[in-house]
Amino acid sequence: DAGITQSPRHKVTETGTPVTLRCHQTENHRYMYWYRQDPGHGLRLIHYSYGVKDTDKGEVSDGYSVSRSKTEDFLLTLESATSSQTSVYFCAISESGTDFEEPQHFGDGTRLSIL
Amino acid sequence: GNSVTQMEGPVTLSEEAFLTINCTYTATGYPSLFWYVQYPGEGLQLLLKATKADDKGSNKGFEATYRKETTSFHLEKGSVQVSDSAVYFCAPGISGNTPLVFGKGTRLSVIA
């Protein structure tokens, strides 16, 4: 199994509070991704990173920011959480984003509830 | 850009039944194609892949053939088991700095 650790695994917080989710990898892969998974929407990309300090937006980036100061860590921050951000968040990594053949490897997810 | 249309679920089958989950895609160029599986409470795992036209990916009794002429990558299994109950996602690969685009997933429930 790919060495991906998401923390926390579960979190309950209140509307308006800041939240940071962490993804840590031990594979030294260049690419890292944050997705959210919601019923009826499948998996939607929030942000991704193609190197240290190199990030880009996905299709549902509003209300989220990311940072990657080290190869192994990719942080997702909700600056002021809203109930619509209640979801299951998955981190993924891949060795190369330029190779048609390269799949992604996923963490076990973080279940976030915003009351 | 790339997009995926995947068969809507949920799909409920009896054990040993034949499974087909349809997936069609639009893509620039000729990407690899992937099926991922998500068991309850877990992240997605790569199930199988095909890297070029007419390739057949296979794993754990599942198969899918890359059909360029119909832009399809349907997932099949001849005899499903209760342990195959999961959500299945289709995704085309992509080049450049843009990650995989996933279908919405198809939930499969297999009953004994």
Side-chain angles (χ1 to χ4, degrees):
Chain A
D1 290 344
I4 307 169
T5 304
Q6 290 186 233
S7 58
R9 292 295 314 280
H10 303 272
K11 187 173 181 65
V12 180
T13 190
E14 294 183 346
T15 300
T17 60
V19 177
T20 295
L21 308 183
R22 180 181 184 235
C23 178
H24 178 78
Q25 60 144 330
T26 58
E27 305 297 317
N28 201 36
H29 283 359
R30 179 180 175 189
Y31 291 83
M32 299 185 76
Y33 313 84
W34 276 109
Y35 292 89
R36 61 178 290 176
Q37 185 176 26
D38 305 288
H41 292 280
L43 224 60
R44 293 181 292 175
L45 180 68
I46 305 171
H47 282 280
Y48 65 100
S49 170
Y50 46 96
V52 173
K53 300 191 189 305
D54 291 323
T55 65
D56 206 348
K57 296 178 180 180
E59 63 178 303
V60 291
S61 59
D62 286 349
Y64 302 95
S65 62
V66 290
S67 66
R68 191 165 178 205
S69 59
K70 298 184 290 184
T71 298
E72 58 265 35
D73 289 326
F74 192 34
L75 304 181
L76 177 70
T77 297
L78 291 64
E79 300 289 349
S80 178
T82 68
S83 58
S84 64
Q85 294 175 310
T86 292
S87 186
V88 181
Y89 291 85
F90 287 98
C91 174
I93 65 175
S94 70
E95 188 168 341
S96 168
T98 59
D99 183 346
F100 275 130
E101 300 182 8
E102 180 63 29
Q104 293 177 321
H105 306 280
F106 285 81
D108 288 333
T110 294
R111 186 173 296 276
L112 177 63
S113 297
I114 300 164
L115 307 178
Chain B
N2 290 13
S3 65
V4 174
T5 301
Q6 190 174 335
M7 176 177 169
E8 296 254 349
V11 175
T12 302
L13 295 174
S14 297
E15 210 166 22
E16 299 184 3
F18 183 85
L19 168 72
T20 299
I21 300 177
N22 292 338
C23 172
T24 57
Y25 67 92
T26 59
T28 303
Y30 303 104
S32 293
L33 299 173
F34 304 91
W35 276 101
Y36 287 78
V37 58
Q38 183 182 29
Y39 298 105
E42 299 182 11
L44 278 68
Q45 305 172 23
L46 180 66
L47 178 61
L48 54 83
K49 73 175 188 180
T51 58
K52 60 183 185 294
D54 299 324
D55 261 5
K56 178 184 285 187
S58 61
N59 186 26
K60 299 182 180 180
F62 290 89
E63 294 183 339
T65 301
Y66 189 149
R67 301 288 188 197
K68 190 175 73 173
E69 64 277 9
T70 56
T71 62
S72 65
F73 193 51
H74 304 323
L75 183 68
E76 297 181 337
K77 186 173 185 181
S79 176
V80 294
Q81 305 300 311
V82 172
S83 57
D84 293 326
S85 297
V87 182
Y88 293 83
F89 291 88
C90 180
I94 199 164
S95 66
N97 285 335
T98 310
L100 294 172
V101 175
F102 288 89
K104 292 185 177 182
T106 301
R107 182 175 299 278
L108 170 66
S109 295
V110 180
I111 53 178

